[in-house]
Amino acid sequence: MDNFQYFNPTQVVFGKNTIESIGKNIKKDKITKVMLLAGSGSIKQNGVYDKVVKSLNSSQIEFVEYWGVRPNPTLVHAEEVKAFAKANNIDGILAVGGGSVIDEAKSISGGYYLDSIWDLFGAKVQPKAALPIYVILTLSATGTEMNSFAVLSNEDEKRKWSFGSPLVYPKISIIDPSVQATLPKRQTANGGVDSLSHLMENYFMSNLNNEIGLTLNEVTQRTVISQIDNLMENPNDYTARANFAWSSTIALNGMTSIGMLGGEWTSHAIEHALSILNPEVAHAEGLSVIFPAFINYVYDAKPEIFDRWAANVYGIQNGLEGTEVMKSKFKSWSSPTTLRELGFSKSDYPEIIKCIEEYGRTGRIKQLSEESFIKILDLAY
Ligand code: NZQ
Ligand code: ZN
């Protein structure tokens, strides 16, 4: 088993009727004024916003609001929000939404004392201070509610990049799975694919001597699959929402990647290229297309790990056959599995590859060249 470090300071408050505790939880930290950050309005439709406002009011937490965070959130919007936050002298950010809202909150928080938020990305600058972040999660998918990463799109530079800092772990994340019953099926499926992708990006980098790490990761993958299957049948199944929600959190909070050398992340890098070039592509939809193709391309570099994965997650002895079963699973959730479904054609390859190469962080299992990316894209076409 390889050496590892584990650290995670986020306090999770999980379960039904937990959103009501947000005011008290913020007050505990002696915060008196927050900025509530949200997306396009789903939280007004499903009652989450009313619960949050009531709780803040009853704990006498002052708040201002900023709306309009978009899926695949942008640098331009984050800078607008940062200016608004500074003008309003807030002490912390309350992110209410899915990964996009939370990631934009983290970007504003980490970039609050810098000239430009974008300095965080590409590891140019490590923040020395940040605003505290509080989270009400409404979509389980990204794991951002309990990790130190954020992803932002710089549309002018055509870069969808990430940054990480221990300063942007949320102080508290409230996860009430019942509020996810209002998710469209597409977003529930996306949550499943993204969570599985996080588990796989780490798993495939592991050595086989990491029995506890691999087993924990496999059981989390199996749980994601069974619970998403249940939710496709019955979106109101609280037990399935809850089991899936926690699986999704631990898929990227460090717990299921112990001893896995930081993971592989090539499929994520390729996905980031797809959704910066076409922001209509949801993160998980890109992954659903790319991940099976990636495994097919790199299988021969590490067949033993892919074979173990296929056997223990899908009950199939061979990794390549297991990948086909996974692809059928994605299709059964109505997730796309070809680049054409995402609106890309072969003439887009040069631009996609330029974005992948600028981002870097690819090819840990097997070294990848421009020719390799063409082959992976062809397998996904
Ligand atoms: O606009 P709102 O009202 O928020 O509606 C959202 C949005 O339209 C809606 N939604 C959220 N909760 C809902 C709901 N609709 C009904 N009922 C609810 N309870 O769902 C839509 C998608 O939301 P979004 O936040 O964009 O989705 P997701 O959570 O998948 O986040 C995706 C972003 O996270 C990044 C992705 O790249 C992408 O930008 N990631 C962040 C990571 C991290 N920080 O660790 C890791 C991931 O690999 C990923 O890259
Ligand atoms: Zn992801």
Side-chain angles (χ1 to χ4, degrees):
M1 192 172 177
D2 289 293
N3 295 1
F4 69 89
Q5 294 189 25
Y6 182 72
F7 168 73
N8 197 311
T10 299
Q11 180 187 342
V12 172
V13 181
F14 187 97
K16 284 181 189 165
N17 306 321
T18 47
I19 293 174
E20 288 78 350
S21 71
I22 188 64
K24 279 191 189 142
N25 272 309
I26 291 177
K27 196 163 192 168
K28 241 179 20 199
D29 288 353
K30 307 216 175 342
I31 300 277
T32 58
K33 184 173 179 184
V34 293
M35 177 181 66
L36 188 163
L37 185 65
S40 64
S42 62
I43 62 166
K44 282 216 168 147
Q45 279 147 28
N46 63 12
V48 170
Y49 173 79
D50 288 342
K51 287 183 189 171
V52 170
V53 167
K54 198 169 163 200
S55 176
L56 293 175
N57 284 336
S58 68
S59 294
Q60 290 100 40
I61 306 286
E62 215 185 316
F63 66 96
V64 289
E65 300 176 18
Y66 209 105
W67 293 76
V69 178
R70 182 200 93 169
N72 295 318
T74 65
L75 174 63
V76 168
H77 193 265
E79 287 288 7
E80 268 171 41
V81 185
K82 178 179 146 184
F84 173 81
K86 289 209 161 206
N88 282 281
N89 289 318
I90 57 165
D91 314 321
I93 305 177
L94 173 57
V96 188
S100 296
V101 171
I102 300 166
D103 279 11
E104 191 167 316
K106 288 177 169 179
S107 306
I108 297 159
S109 158
Y112 202 68
Y113 302 105
L114 303 177
D115 290 340
S116 163
I117 290 173
W118 196 247
D119 287 347
L120 295 167
F121 292 81
K124 288 190 287 293
V125 173
Q126 270 295 320
K128 295 197 173 59
L131 281 183
I133 300 165
Y134 299 86
V135 164
I136 309 276
L137 182 72
T138 65
L139 197 182
S140 290
T142 60
T144 187
E145 66 277 10
M146 202 180 176
N147 71 37
S148 59
F149 312 117
V151 182
L152 201 63
S153 292
N154 179 334
E155 296 193 300
D156 292 340
E157 294 185 9
K158 292 258 173 281
R159 290 176 173 156
K160 181 180 175 184
W161 282 11
S162 60
F163 88 96
S165 161
L167 295 177
V168 300
Y169 276 103
K171 298 276 174 225
I172 291 170
S173 279
I174 295 189
I175 307 172
D176 177 347
S178 69
V179 306
Q180 300 192 31
T182 55
L183 282 169
K185 262 194 175 175
R186 173 190 174 209
Q187 296 298 350
T188 299
N190 284 349
V193 173
D194 196 18
S195 305
L196 286 176
S197 300
H198 299 153
L199 291 158
M200 291 189 289
E201 295 275 30
N202 283 302
Y203 186 97
F204 297 138
M205 268 306 285
S206 185
N207 293 318
L208 285 171
N209 62 8
N210 182 9
E211 192 56 38
I212 176 63
L214 290 167
T215 305
L216 211 59
N217 188 306
E218 287 157 1
V219 82
T220 314
Q221 291 191 52
R222 291 202 301 271
T223 310
V224 169
I225 294 163
S226 61
Q227 303 313 299
I228 295 292
D229 279 346
N230 292 347
L231 289 169
M232 289 294 119
E233 293 295 313
N234 181 6
N236 294 312
D237 179 344
Y238 177 79
T239 303
R241 285 276 171 214
N243 279 287
F244 168 62
W246 187 237
S247 305
S248 173
T249 300
I250 67 170
L252 199 55
N253 76 345
M255 187 53 86
T256 51
S257 55
I258 275 172
M260 295 179 180
L261 311 172
E264 155 63 50
W265 302 104
T266 292
S267 295
H268 269 71
I270 301 177
E271 184 296 305
H272 285 194
L274 300 180
S275 56
I276 189 66
L277 295 172
N278 177 3
E280 297 295 312
V281 172
H283 173 61
E285 292 169 348
L287 291 168
S288 176
V289 168
I290 295 299
F291 226 124
F294 169 75
I295 299 174
N296 273 303
Y297 186 72
V298 301
Y299 172 80
D300 60 355
K302 227 177 159 187
E304 63 288 350
I305 195 79
F306 291 107
D307 290 349
R308 176 181 163 136
W309 160 78
N312 292 348
V313 178
Y314 293 100
I316 304 277
Q317 296 309 316
N318 175 279
L320 291 175
E321 288 171 26
T323 305
E324 287 311 305
V325 178
M326 178 176 78
K327 206 164 156 177
S328 309
K329 182 56 73 185
F330 291 173
K331 281 187 189 163
S332 76
W333 297 342
S334 303
S335 295
T337 51
T338 63
L339 277 172
R340 279 164 294 146
E341 287 168 86
L342 301 182
F344 288 99
S345 68
K346 294 201 177 205
S347 62
D348 297 316
Y349 283 11
E351 220 182 347
I352 296 172
I353 293 168
K354 182 169 175 272
C355 291
I356 300 168
E357 289 181 334
E358 276 180 3
Y359 186 53
R361 304 169 194 219
T362 54
R364 297 193 74 200
I365 288 176
K366 178 171 171 174
Q367 211 177 350
L368 300 174
S369 61
E370 187 177 331
E371 201 185 316
S372 319
F373 293 125
I374 292 171
K375 287 196 174 131
I376 294 171
L377 293 172
D378 272 343
L379 285 165
Y381 196 71

